[in-house]
Amino acid sequence: EVQLLESGGGVGQPGGSLRLFCTASGYTFRNFAMSWVRQAPGKGLEWVSSVSGSGANTYYADSVKGRFTIARDNSKNTVSLQMNSLRAGDTAVYYCAKGRLGIVDSAFDYWGLGKLVTVSS
Amino acid sequence: SYVLTQSPSVSVAPGKTATIPCGGDNIGTKTVHWYQQRPGQAPLLVIYYDSDRPSGIPERFSGSNSGNTATLTISRVEAGDEADYYCQVWENSNSRQVVFGGGTKLTVL
């Protein structure tokens, strides 16, 4: 059974940093792309970032480019999201999502339960 | 940047058919995926590659995509189908980015 478990995050200050982790199980992790998708309170889904199965290719939304970094460790079945220069607008539930394929151009077929990140002074 | 437009809400009586459109410039040339999100839950993939259903998704869910509109159709709607539905594409014109529609709230009357 595929499972995705987010950890980390929490409360951060404007201009500060936080890191999210997602630990995957139940499938061959390195064969599939991974992504982060967020949802601000009462709002819709917003894609944040994706990484290919090998980790060689990464992609970012314009709203986080230059501030967030996605990375994966295929030896540990984990993907992380380093979030720097935090803004109030980054406050959201962050979901880890598995791609159907190794390349990023695919649907997200499994999602974690989500982790709340709050940016506040 | 590419924009996907969804109606904020759709209402349908139980047993009837719900049609949820997703508009985008020449969206018929792109691959569309659909997600269901019930209140307080994570999204669930219900349609991928315009019209394919993941295992476990009822045949009542179907999708189509042509011209400037992709459509999610739910036949014989049940109370449990009440949720937010989002369309999604990968945009490859300038840089690879994911685009989500704003979501449609399906209310079962």
Side-chain angles (χ1 to χ4, degrees):
Chain A
E1 178 190 6
V2 173
Q3 290 191 335
L4 302 174
L5 181 62
E6 299 97 343
S7 59
V11 180
Q13 292 189 334
S17 298
L18 287 172
R19 194 170 188 181
L20 287 170
F21 294 91
C22 174
T23 302
S25 61
Y27 69 101
T28 305
F29 182 70
R30 64 180 180 272
N31 287 351
F32 298 92
M34 295 296 293
S35 298
W36 291 95
V37 177
R38 68 185 181 183
Q39 187 169 35
K43 302 297 184 181
L45 300 175
E46 180 189 15
W47 171 74
V48 175
S49 182
S50 297
V51 59
S52 60
S54 67
N57 302 104
T58 58
Y59 305 91
Y60 298 92
D62 290 342
S63 58
V64 306
K65 199 173 294 183
R67 300 188 300 122
F68 290 11
T69 302
I70 191 171
R72 65 188 295 158
D73 185 338
N74 286 344
S75 68
K76 297 181 180 178
N77 286 8
T78 60
V79 60
S80 64
L81 185 69
Q82 177 67 42
M83 302 180 289
N84 298 332
S85 302
L86 287 168
R87 305 168 179 168
D90 295 322
T91 295
V93 172
Y94 284 72
Y95 293 101
C96 170
K98 170 187 169 293
R100 286 191 68 254
L101 303 172
I103 58 173
V104 295
D105 293 35
S106 62
F108 306 133
D109 59 355
Y110 288 92
W111 297 63
L113 296 178
K115 193 73 174 177
L116 178 62
V117 170
T118 303
V119 181
S120 174
S121 56
Chain B
S1 60
Y2 195 73
V3 176
L4 293 175
T5 301
Q6 294 187 249
S7 301
S9 63
V10 167
S11 299
V12 64
K16 299 299 185 182
T17 296
T19 301
I20 300 174
C22 173
D25 186 38
N26 284 321
I27 194 174
T29 64
K30 301 182 182 299
T31 298
V32 181
H33 314 299
W34 290 91
Y35 303 88
Q36 174 194 70
Q37 187 179 32
R38 295 187 174 110
Q41 295 188 14
L44 173 71
L45 179 67
V46 293
I47 292 289
Y48 65 99
Y49 289 160
D50 296 342
S51 58
D52 289 346
R53 274 188 319 277
S55 60
I57 300 301
E59 291 183 6
R60 301 184 298 104
F61 288 79
S62 62
S64 63
N65 184 19
S66 179
N68 293 316
T69 305
T71 303
L72 173 68
T73 302
I74 309 172
S75 306
R76 302 181 299 283
V77 166
E78 303 173 356
D81 298 331
E82 188 162 288
D84 294 323
Y85 291 85
Y86 296 90
C87 55
Q88 176 245 311
V89 301
W90 272 92
E91 168 60 19
N92 293 322
S93 59
N94 294 322
S95 61
R96 278 180 169 173
Q97 299 213 337
V98 171
V99 180
F100 282 101
T104 296
K105 169 67 176 178
L106 174 66
T107 299
V108 181
L109 299 171

